[in-house]
Amino acid sequence: MILTVTLNTALDITYRVRSLRPHASHRVSEVVERPGGKGVNVARVLAALGQEVTVTGFAGGATGRAVRDGLAGTPGLTDALVPVAGATRRTIAVVDERSGDTTQLNEPGPQIEPAEWGAFLDRYEELLGGASAVALCGSLPPGVPVGAYANLVRPARAQGVPVLLDTSGEPLRRGVAARPDIIKPNADELAELTGSHDPLRATQDARRRGAHAVVASLGTDGLLAVTPEGRWRATPPARIPGNPTGAGDSAVAGLLSGLVEHLSWPDRLTRAVALSTATVRSPVAGEFDRAAYEELRGQVTVTGVVSAA
């Protein structure tokens, strides 16, 4: 079982409009609601790939019920979310049909009380016993300690469970120091962590700070991986128009599934880039265009890269 942790779950709401213009009224052509938050998106992609996955984190209020209802009945997915008094946040994605661009609005999330955080830690420890890998994903809701991810990496490592960390800012900086097996920042998050805007130098610096392997998401330029086994660049065949929301989460699902299946790093990266690109073809996060995924798997280019001086 793969365990995904989403401390700041969300109800993802996607609006489609003909053309998004500031200071104007818009007629929405379609509204889609889905369970969201980075780890939830990862879990749904993993389940679609045939993996057994358990989702934990927090859920509360009417939006929390909607998230849990949306997860119910998903083959291969188990809901282990911890109830809280506050309401789960909403995220709003507005898709401009003319340009294909997406505008994202993210609420902060509910206030997590100390007793609720303690209840989650107990649940997490229980779930680790049956996990083959763990993904720690996304932002922290108010009330959760900024060093939360570091505190979740350590018990997983103590039990020999591989950990992938996908967050940003101070939670990422502290989490890296706990020595996760993989981190997956985007280019901006990596630059903020290391102070370097050169992706290769930055990924190597992130490894020196504690991460066993670093896989940097470079948007339409694919992934850059620096690992103990080697350094690779994986790129999609071309820029794909569509909604990029959740593309990074699909890449995490590809990396995690490849890890538990003991694939080589080039094969993991091929799967991650194909899934990420196929997600852009899908109208909502947490889903991917399966036909595009199968096609793209044979078109991803993986090449070795030379170390920075």
Side-chain angles (χ1 to χ4, degrees):
M1 174 268 288
I2 297 175
L3 176 63
T4 72
V5 175
T6 312
L7 297 177
N8 211 4
T9 54
L11 182 65
D12 285 346
I13 304 171
T14 302
Y15 295 129
R16 300 185 71 87
V17 299
R18 181 174 177 79
S19 178
L20 182 62
R21 292 169 289 121
H23 317 297
S25 177
H26 297 79
R27 184 176 297 277
V28 176
S29 61
E30 182 183 28
V31 181
V32 178
E33 291 188 359
R34 291 287 191 278
K38 293 181 72 63
V40 171
N41 292 337
V42 171
R44 289 168 59 208
V45 173
L46 284 169
L49 290 172
Q51 297 287 339
E52 294 293 323
V53 60
T54 296
V55 174
T56 192
F58 298 110
T63 46
R65 288 193 297 274
V67 167
R68 303 189 85 156
D69 289 346
L71 293 175
T74 303
L77 188 150
T78 299
D79 173 1
L81 293 167
V82 175
V84 294
T88 294
R89 66 187 177 131
R90 297 164 297 180
T91 66
I92 312 297
V94 184
V95 179
D96 184 320
E97 295 177 337
R98 181 169 295 174
S99 68
D101 292 334
T102 301
T103 299
Q104 192 83 15
L105 303 173
N106 298 325
E107 295 180 355
Q111 177 72 31
I112 304 301
E113 300 301 328
E116 294 169 337
W117 176 239
F120 167 78
L121 291 176
D122 290 342
R123 177 68 59 85
Y124 179 71
E125 290 278 0
E126 293 171 3
L127 293 168
L128 274 180
S132 56
V134 178
L136 306 175
C137 302
S139 62
L140 302 180
V144 171
V146 70
Y149 284 133
N151 292 331
L152 299 180
V153 170
R154 293 187 185 101
R157 285 184 53 81
Q159 295 192 37
V161 180
V163 183
L164 186 153
L165 176 62
D166 184 13
T167 188
S168 60
E170 187 65 12
L172 174 59
R173 189 183 71 80
R174 297 198 187 193
V176 167
R179 306 186 67 80
D181 295 88
I182 306 171
I183 64 170
K184 197 212 69 63
N186 62 32
D188 291 339
E189 293 162 351
L190 189 61
E192 182 182 9
L193 174 67
T194 65
S196 174
H197 290 275
D198 178 86
L200 184 54
R201 291 181 184 276
T203 50
Q204 294 181 143
D205 182 49
R207 279 204 68 216
R208 286 190 290 268
R209 290 168 185 259
H212 189 67
V214 181
V215 181
S217 177
L218 306 179
T220 57
D221 291 330
L223 299 175
L224 172 64
V226 176
T227 81
E229 290 78 21
R231 303 171 177 86
W232 294 274
R233 184 75 172 266
T235 55
R239 186 182 189 279
I240 305 295
N243 180 6
T245 306
D249 305 329
S250 290
V252 169
L255 294 171
L256 273 178
S257 60
L259 184 154
V260 300
E261 293 173 25
H262 307 291
L263 299 184
S264 68
W265 268 106
D267 286 344
R268 295 184 207 179
L269 295 169
T270 295
R271 178 179 292 182
V273 170
L275 279 171
S276 179
T277 307
T279 297
V280 175
R281 293 262 189 97
S282 175
V284 293
E287 297 180 2
F288 61 95
D289 185 312
R290 189 170 291 275
Y293 167 60
E294 296 296 341
E295 178 183 350
L296 288 161
R297 289 173 69 182
Q299 300 177 10
V300 174
T301 301
V302 181
T303 56
V305 297
V306 178
S307 173

